Amino acid sequence: MCPAQTLIRGGLVLVENDHFEQVTLLVQDGSIADIFQGDGPDDLPVMDASGKIVIPGLVNGHTHSHGALGRGGVPQDATLEQFLAGAPALNGTRMTEDLRLSAQLSAAEMIRKGCTSCFDLSVELPGPSVAGLHAVADAYYGAGMRAVVAPMIADRTIYQALPGLLAALPDEMRQVLGAITLPPWSQTLAVCEDAFASWPVPFDRVRPGIGPAIPLHCSDAFLSACAALSERRDMPLQTHLAETRMQQVAAQQRYGTTLTAHLGALGILSHRFSGAHGVWLDPAEALLLANAGAGIVHNPLSNLRLGSGIAPVRALVDAGVGLGVGTDAANTSDTQNMFEAMRLTATLSRANAPPTKSWVTAPEAFYMATEGSAKILGFERVGRIARGWAADLLFLDRAYCHYVPLRDVLSQIVFSENGGALREVMIAGRVVFAENKVLTLDEAALQCAAQDAAHRLDAANHDTRLFTDAAGLLVRSFCHASCTAHPLPIH
Ligand SMILES: [Zn+2]
């Protein structure tokens, strides 16, 4: 149910992402139509928020819905490149309904943890399909979330992407892995164009984006075509940028320069561009990104899990780069908890005892996890509580231990909240989570379907997994040796 007008009374509200105040919100047609001191009009339906802290919904700047069905399937000691080598076993043989199910699982987790919008780089092997992309978009729309759904696409395998990798493999493995190819990029982009032209749900809720997976995994012509499509349709483009040291080492070998300098020379950087991770960026790259109006999405937990490093968030902010925060997928993070990602954004900036002026403050981390990410998604008026902005709201229980006693509310949210105090979630004026239930999805049915799908997919991918597990270890060793042999002048 979503009445046309609702008053939200009695809450301690974070107004304009600036200060907390006891005010009444008028929600109308999915937006915050007005903010009243006192109780506001007395002839409208009322949602009682007394005893609650009301903040804007968190915005996940980077995730992968397909990861939800791969939960638990990534070795605990995997590096990114090892994980990528295992992708065929994790994501192979999936049908359209598996993509829908995975996106529903992903949405349910994010809603439960206070996320109201996300940027989803969604993969389908061997390449995207109209039905698959539409199933993911439908899943988010049905769950009531806002989302950018961007097909994650490539025209090179990891074996073609990393110079010297194939040559370093044993003969038999080289023959098998070297023979794998991805569909030509023109065919892939034609499918994306078809999917975008017949988009099944309203753009103000779930809109398409484009996701060339990793620059090294895409030919230059493909990257340029993705950027042209992004410009033509005014849609966001996101790629994994300098996530690992290996990617920068390979960029020097392939391009003779940094990843960002190469993308800049190709004309890919713009205000529509965002790079996920941005761990291994040097100061010149930060300036290139800032001058283009491009953004970076910080994924602290995933970077720790995969041992990728710690992104230079303060240096990026100081250079003028727009920052968002993301969780990455449910199988590399291994939780899509934006509260945790936000807390790590603040705390990880203090690792290794830097000067306090370089720490990410609680208000900065909160901004990045709300408005900062929303800008990267390309959603306007999302991520703060103000007149005319989206009614995407979280209701936290101020009697919960995190807020007892209550002194510095925003600081207590950033440094202690993990979703434990979350009682209701509203997206576009509609309550989608209450009484510990996601109201828009049948979570019990999802659980059964997910376990069935996992059994079926694991059996179907069993032989592939044996092979890719072995290949993954060799890829990891190759990357370690390459990075040791080619030190970078950063970090
Ligand atoms: Zn990612």
Side-chain angles (χ1 to χ4, degrees), residues 16 56 66 142 208 263 277 301 357 421 438-439:
E16 303 266 1
H66 55 268
L263 294 180
H277 301 274
L301 198 53
K357 66 177 175 17
V438 177
L439 305 177

Side-chain angles (χ1 to χ4, degrees), residues 62-64 66 80 83-84 121 152 213-214 238-240 243 276-277 299 302 306 327-329 332:
H62 177 71
T63 190
H64 304 277
H66 55 268
L80 175 77
F83 162 72
L84 293 174
L121 263 62
M152 185 164 75
I214 298 172
Q238 189 171 92
T239 187
H240 293 81
E243 179 171 353
H277 301 274
N299 292 274
S302 168
L306 298 172
T327 62
D328 218 349
T332 55

Side-chain angles (χ1 to χ4, degrees), residues 5-10 24 39 41-49:
Q5 289 186 311
T6 306
L7 286 173
I8 299 173
R9 268 189 198 147
T24 298
D39 283 350
D42 54 14
D43 55 348
L44 295 174
V46 172
M47 179 174 171
D48 181 13

Side-chain angles (χ1 to χ4, degrees), residues 196-444:
F196 302 158
S198 53
W199 202 244
V201 295
F203 270 43
D204 65 325
R205 300 295 296 282
V206 180
R207 63 181 60 166
I210 193 84
I214 298 172
L216 290 156
H217 294 230
C218 302
S219 60
D220 288 351
F222 183 23
L223 287 168
S224 297
C226 287
L229 175 60
S230 157
E231 182 176 5
R232 198 163 64 246
R233 286 195 163 266
D234 193 23
M235 59 167 54
L237 179 156
Q238 189 171 92
T239 187
H240 293 81
L241 183 64
E243 179 171 353
T244 62
R245 177 156 51 182
M246 183 68 237
Q247 291 179 359
Q248 284 291 28
V249 168
Q252 290 294 341
Q253 293 168 335
R254 183 180 282 282
Y255 309 131
T257 185
T258 61
L259 288 161
T260 313
H262 183 67
L263 294 180
L266 285 178
I268 309 287
L269 305 178
S270 77
H271 66 281
R272 291 175 299 276
F273 175 94
S274 59
H277 301 274
V279 176
W280 294 88
L281 294 173
D282 70 18
E285 294 181 276
L287 274 180
L288 280 174
L289 291 165
N291 290 340
I296 288 289
V297 183
H298 182 38
N299 292 274
L301 198 53
S302 168
N303 296 339
L304 291 174
R305 158 70 141 107
L306 298 172
S308 303
I310 299 177
V313 173
R314 171 56 61 203
L316 291 167
V317 171
D318 287 352
V321 180
L323 263 287
V325 174
T327 62
D328 218 349
N331 55 356
T332 55
S333 217
D334 298 57
T335 160
Q336 297 178 97
N337 189 325
M338 278 297 295
F339 285 111
E340 289 182 0
M342 177 165 68
R343 181 169 68 237
L344 273 171
T345 298
T347 54
L348 206 52
S349 68
R350 302 153 195 226
N352 302 321
T356 49
K357 66 177 175 17
S358 72
W359 296 8
V360 174
T361 66
E364 282 178 314
F366 191 85
Y367 175 85
M368 290 174 198
T370 50
E371 286 182 67
S373 289
K375 280 188 179 156
I376 281 168
L377 268 63
F379 280 109
E380 287 182 3
R381 293 177 173 258
V382 167
R384 77 157 78 177
I385 298 174
R387 282 186 187 85
W389 286 57
D392 296 357
L393 304 171
L394 309 185
F395 299 79
L396 302 170
D397 181 356
R398 60 189 283 185
Y400 195 72
C401 49
H402 297 160
Y403 307 107
V404 180
L406 192 63
R407 289 195 176 91
D408 182 343
V409 189
L410 192 64
S411 184
Q412 285 173 255
I413 290 169
V414 170
F415 287 115
S416 59
E417 191 52 65
N418 56 6
L422 187 64
R423 296 294 172 265
E424 288 93 21
V425 176
M426 173 181 278
I427 306 176
R430 174 190 189 192
V431 176
V432 296
F433 176 77
E435 296 177 351
N436 200 28
K437 284 195 179 68
V438 177
L439 305 177
T440 47
L441 292 164
D442 182 343
E443 289 180 283

